[in-house]
Amino acid sequence: MKLANATVLVTGANRGLGQEFARQALAHGARKVYAAARNPASVTLEGVVPVALDVTDAAQAAALARELGDVDLVINNAGIADLTGVLDPAGAEALRRMLETNVFGILNVSQAFAPVLGRNGGGAFLNILSVASWISSPMLAAYGVTKAAAWSLTNAVRNELAGQGTQVLGLHVGFIDTDMTHGIDAPKLTAGVVVERAFAALEAGAPEVAIDELTQAVKRGLSAEPGIYTVPR
């Protein structure tokens, strides 16, 4: 999938990683970039077209797909994180809330826009996942459950859309220096670096990309004995 002359929809594009995806899409020569947010007035990046979208609302996603018939790249970036363990008293509610955005949000947008991409020659979905798709920690336990589900969903969508020539790229990455990770004391990548590497993988036609060394090491460890995911962290 080439970015030059593409028409791009970025969810959660009003700040952080989503805003950087929108900015770099324009820099790569995208013909048009729709920047989606629950409140489109919060989109401040010049050169984009703000649109209203709550990814947890399937009807709204479907209505937007009917309106934006020219899209050929969808970046499923919208996501939330609640630093809660699954056995925490608040864990179940936090998990349900994150599943609605991190999993069903991707599903809603994918169901809505898959036919649009098909009509436009195939196009691509780029789904933002995480190193937490593969390993768990007490701080990110519930969040990791949602990202593991989003990884499986990404693989399922890729299989189902192969026949219409749609590229589906899953992006796994560690901590990124955005508002979402404020207060977390850990090494972080800049949003700019993440987007640069993501777009390089997209244009190379990749189905999956592990952005940083930590994530690459974790991916290699999935087939180890014992598996890296079985080791308490």
Side-chain angles (χ1 to χ4, degrees), residues 54-129:
D54 177 350
V55 298
T56 68
D57 186 333
Q60 188 180 35
L64 187 64
R66 290 191 294 270
E67 180 182 343
L68 307 184
D70 55 347
V71 169
D72 46 24
L73 170 60
V74 176
I75 301 176
N76 280 310
N77 166 77
I80 59 174
D82 191 322
L83 305 184
T84 308
V86 291
L87 300 183
D88 185 282
E93 179 55 36
L95 181 56
R96 290 189 184 94
R97 185 168 59 251
M98 286 187 285
L99 284 168
E100 282 296 325
T101 298
N102 299 351
V103 181
F104 287 101
I106 292 177
L107 178 61
N108 292 338
V109 174
S110 299
Q111 287 181 329
F113 279 90
V116 176
L117 299 187
R119 290 192 295 270
N120 292 334
F125 285 109
L126 196 172
N127 293 350
I128 311 307
L129 306 173

Side-chain angles (χ1 to χ4, degrees), residues 177-202:
D177 191 11
T178 65
D179 291 347
M180 185 179 288
T181 62
H182 179 72
I184 296 177
D185 184 16
K188 301 172 187 177
L189 294 175
T190 66
V193 166
V194 174
V195 173
E196 286 173 8
R197 295 177 183 175
F199 279 157
L202 181 75

